[in-house]
Amino acid sequence: MLELPAHTEHLKDDILAEQQNNNNLENPGPLQTFEENLAKGEFRIQQCKDCGQHVFYPRLLCHHCGSNALKWVAVSGKGVVYSSAVVRQRPEKGGDYNISLIDLEEGPRLMSRVVDVDPEEVAIGMQVSAHVGMINDKPAVLFYNKEQGDKEW
Amino acid sequence: MSLRGETAVVGVGLTEFGGLPGHTHMEIMAKAIDKAITDAGIHKDEIDGIFSANFVEMLTPLTVAEYLGINPTYMDGTNTGGSVFVNSMQSAAAALSLGLCNVALICYGSNSATGPFTHPPAMHTVEDVYRPRNPITPYALAANRHMHEFGTTREQLAEVAVSARAWAQLNPAATMRDPLSVEDVVNARMIVDPLGKFDCCLISDGGAAMIMVRKDRAQDFPKKPVYMLGVGSRTDHNLISCMPDLTTTAAKEAAAAAFSMAGVTPADIDVVELYDAFTINTILFLEDMGFCEKGEGGAFVSNGNIAPGGSLPVNTNGGGLSCVHPGMYGMFLMIEAVQQLRGECGERQVDNAKMAACNGSGGFLASQVSAIFGTQETL
Ligand SMILES: [Zn+2]
């Protein structure tokens, strides 16, 4: 159901009609699709049908070649730590945690956390694998240094 | 047409730094504007171009115009983060040169130390969910990568903070003037490893303003004009996860453009002012701008080389690390460059300074804007 701010409520019929005209657009948009996949436990990224390169974060346009033909694909989940930092936090607030940039085997780099080793033990060049977990009550891609099961993405 | 030497800074104004309790950001900005128009010897009604941005309001140029009671012909509220005022200076030089305005005011004010706390803006859900401690973590990631690739050490990062402090000790206006050693920096509380407390910039109140005109009028003001010789602006990401190479910033291309416009090289520069939000910045920008080779920044900043008495004076006011950092520092580094080229810097004055290079950085190492300024004789 279309939720509109109160001051635009009188435009609702026009906006719904417009939406019908635009039904060639992917609906929902790529970012929401990504998040819906995560909520189902699936980590999918986009690949460009024209240049073949992978795209992350999710976009409507390929930032490599400009094509608008992007498809959703599964990933190996394999990655390497490109850089890493330790956010210092008081124990009563949850303690220190790791923030890393991970280079996926498919090419894109993303921010995440490596969660199965001490934050300061996360090293550049470390091999990691992706799993969908929960962080701050939201589904998110997290990384483990050791293989966790044999889940296929 | 090239913008080389077409415009000049003829007025600058700085507020006191540190805490200015009970003042809005606009009031702090107004203090700086008052000083800049006094410095330039003009009346506020002569201003017809306004260039201003900050973190706490959207329509800053409108606020400034209303506050001053003027009706400008040209306004620019572009926001590229902390680099913005160097970027504004490029826009002002272009607008002045095309006659879209005749007297440009670039201005900034912030009460980030004593005013209401403002959370860092959300970046993107794909990063925000991990709660990176912005803005520190992106710089920690860059520092760690630089250490990994080039063997840069925490002691070398510390040299940047120690050099900035040594300059601040020569600047009566600087906020932090107590002695600081490499050991103090390395042993301080960690904030986001590998960056500790003294690797991070200050949080200050402060305002700054600058008046620019075309070269044909540059001699008509009380102070020695300082000419804009070159400028270059580039950006290669917004999210830190989208930065192509964490050890090379877009300052490489921005500075190359600025040096090319100015027709000079790093060897011609007498004094350098860089946006040192974190110690790693100074190392990255010295490398990217060509003051040393990529990867050699750690060694370059060591042994007092960028401190008073070193071979290259860098961040001569004490920088964002020890002088002032109200959130968007780009304005302050340009004003320090102007004051060095005027010869107004007292104990910290660089002898015979004729040409200065600046680099403003915005976002998380994202927007880079370099500028070269020179005295009359460099035209
Ligand atoms: Zn493509």
Side-chain angles (χ1 to χ4, degrees), chain B residues 186-201:
Chain B
V186 170
N187 295 327
R189 180 169 61 92
M190 296 308 289
I191 308 295
V192 180
D193 301 25
L195 301 178
K197 177 184 164 189
F198 293 113
D199 290 288
C200 304
C201 61

Side-chain angles (χ1 to χ4, degrees), chain A:
Chain A
M1 199 55 214
L2 188 64
E3 294 283 343
L4 292 175
H7 68 283
T8 58
E9 195 61 34
H10 64 289
L11 298 173
K12 196 166 183 173
D13 289 344
D14 289 348
I15 291 171
L16 282 169
E18 189 67 18
Q19 207 174 49
Q20 294 300 316
N21 295 335
N22 287 339
N23 61 8
N24 58 326
L25 274 178
E26 181 191 6
N27 196 6
L31 190 59
Q32 191 175 324
T33 299
F34 171 73
E35 288 170 350
E36 287 175 0
N37 285 335
L38 280 187
K40 288 185 279 183
E42 293 172 5
F43 176 27
R44 293 180 187 277
I45 67 172
Q46 294 168 298
Q47 186 177 19
C48 178
K49 293 181 191 171
D50 284 313
C51 74
Q53 298 196 71
H54 289 81
V55 170
F56 191 85
Y57 51 87
R59 291 167 164 90
L60 274 165
L61 302 174
C62 174
H63 63 294
H64 304 290
C65 75
S67 167
N68 62 9
L70 298 173
K71 61 178 179 183
W72 290 98
V73 295
V75 292
S76 73
K78 292 199 176 94
V80 175
V81 176
Y82 173 74
S83 195
S84 178
V86 184
V87 179
R88 297 291 176 182
Q89 183 175 243
R90 284 196 295 271
E92 63 270 26
K93 290 193 159 186
D96 303 340
Y97 60 93
N98 166 262
I99 293 284
S100 285
L101 297 177
I102 311 291
D103 287 342
L104 293 178
E105 193 173 60
E106 290 79 7
R109 177 177 301 156
L110 65 159
M111 180 178 282
S112 186
R113 295 190 190 184
V114 179
V115 292
D116 66 336
V117 287
D118 288 341
E120 56 269 32
E121 299 301 319
V122 180
I124 292 173
M126 186 179 264
Q127 308 269 337
V128 290
S129 56
H131 289 260
V132 178
M134 294 293 285
I135 190 164
N136 304 319
D137 301 323
K138 286 184 188 145
V141 179
L142 301 174
F143 284 83
Y144 291 79
N145 178 224
K146 297 180 188 71
E147 285 300 325
Q148 298 277 312
D150 53 1
K151 182 159 182 177
E152 295 291 329
W153 298 105

Side-chain angles (χ1 to χ4, degrees), chain B:
Chain B
M1 100 181 239
S2 165
L3 290 175
R4 187 190 197 280
E6 292 295 315
T7 55
V9 178
V10 296
V12 295
L14 294 170
T15 65
E16 301 81 7
F17 303 144
L20 302 165
H23 288 78
T24 67
H25 73 281
M26 184 62 237
E27 289 166 350
I28 293 170
M29 182 148 48
K31 277 176 180 258
I33 294 169
D34 188 35
K35 290 191 174 181
I37 62 180
T38 303
D39 190 53
I42 62 171
H43 187 270
K44 58 101 177 167
D45 287 345
E46 293 176 64
I47 296 166
D48 59 359
I50 293 179
F51 301 75
S52 194
N54 60 59
F55 284 150
V56 294
E57 69 176 334
M58 279 176 62
L59 309 179
T60 315
L62 281 61
T63 304
V64 174
E66 175 183 85
Y67 200 95
L68 296 180
I70 60 177
N71 183 359
T73 59
Y74 196 92
M75 287 189 287
D76 184 333
T78 305
N79 201 334
T80 60
S83 62
V84 64
F85 304 105
V86 193
N87 204 63
S88 303
M89 191 280 300
Q90 173 178 248
S91 305
L96 287 164
S97 297
L98 291 170
L100 296 173
C101 61
N102 299 301
V103 177
L105 166 68
I106 309 172
C107 54
Y108 176 60
S110 164
N111 60 357
S112 64
T114 62
F117 177 77
T118 48
H119 285 275
M123 293 300 291
H124 193 295
T125 54
V126 297
E127 289 197 351
D128 295 339
V129 67
Y130 300 105
R131 295 192 186 166
R133 185 176 293 165
N134 290 334
I136 309 169
T137 298
Y139 297 88
L141 291 165
N144 197 18
R145 187 72 200 180
H146 201 277
M147 294 164 86
H148 173 80
E149 286 195 26
F150 305 115
T152 307
T153 63
R154 285 207 63 220
E155 286 73 15
Q156 290 173 331
L157 291 172
E159 294 267 11
V160 172
V162 169
S163 300
R165 182 61 60 89
W167 282 112
Q169 289 180 307
L170 303 179
N171 179 7
T175 309
M176 302 293 282
R177 305 186 67 208
D178 293 338
L180 185 72
S181 70
V182 167
E183 291 70 32
D184 293 336
V185 180
V186 170
N187 295 327
R189 180 169 61 92
M190 296 308 289
I191 308 295
V192 180
D193 301 25
L195 301 178
K197 177 184 164 189
F198 293 113
D199 290 288
C200 304
C201 61
L202 308 172
I203 298 173
S204 320
D205 293 344
M210 200 162 101
I211 308 282
M212 286 179 81
V213 300
R214 276 184 299 281
K215 65 178 176 190
D216 55 341
R217 292 191 57 198
Q219 303 288 347
D220 302 344
F221 301 86
K223 298 286 177 69
K224 252 184 12 178
V226 170
Y227 293 86
M228 199 284 277
L229 302 179
V231 64
S233 176
R234 297 287 191 280
T235 187
D236 60 5
H237 66 283
N238 189 26
L239 301 181
I240 197 65
S241 58
C242 294
M243 184 170 178
D245 175 353
L246 260 68
T247 66
T248 302
T249 75
K252 185 175 178 185
E253 296 153 290
F259 279 118
S260 168
M261 184 187 292
V264 300
T265 70
D268 299 311
I269 299 298
D270 302 305
V271 57
V272 181
E273 309 296 343
L274 308 174
Y275 196 143
D276 57 342
F278 299 91
T279 48
I280 185 63
N281 294 36
T282 303
I283 290 174
L284 289 171
F285 302 150
L286 286 168
E287 293 172 350
D288 293 338
M289 296 177 81
F291 290 100
C292 63
E293 293 296 316
K294 179 52 64 184
E296 292 176 6
F300 188 83
V301 301
S302 296
N303 305 314
N305 196 40
I306 63 170
S311 79
L312 185 69
V314 177
N315 294 353
T316 49
N317 58 350
L321 290 168
S322 279
C323 178
V324 59
H325 189 276
M328 293 161 86
Y329 173 74
M331 194 72 195
F332 299 87
L333 56 90
M334 283 194 297
I335 291 181
E336 176 66 12
V338 167
Q339 295 191 314
Q340 285 286 348
L341 297 180
R342 283 176 173 182
E344 291 178 342
C345 289
E347 220 187 329
R348 71 182 190 282
Q349 178 65 45
V350 173
D351 287 342
N352 209 19
K354 294 187 179 63
M355 212 180 287
C358 298
N359 189 67
S361 177
F364 307 139
L365 295 169
S367 161
Q368 301 296 334
V369 194
S370 300
I372 315 292
F373 292 98
T375 59
Q376 181 88 31
E377 61 191 294
T378 64
L379 284 180

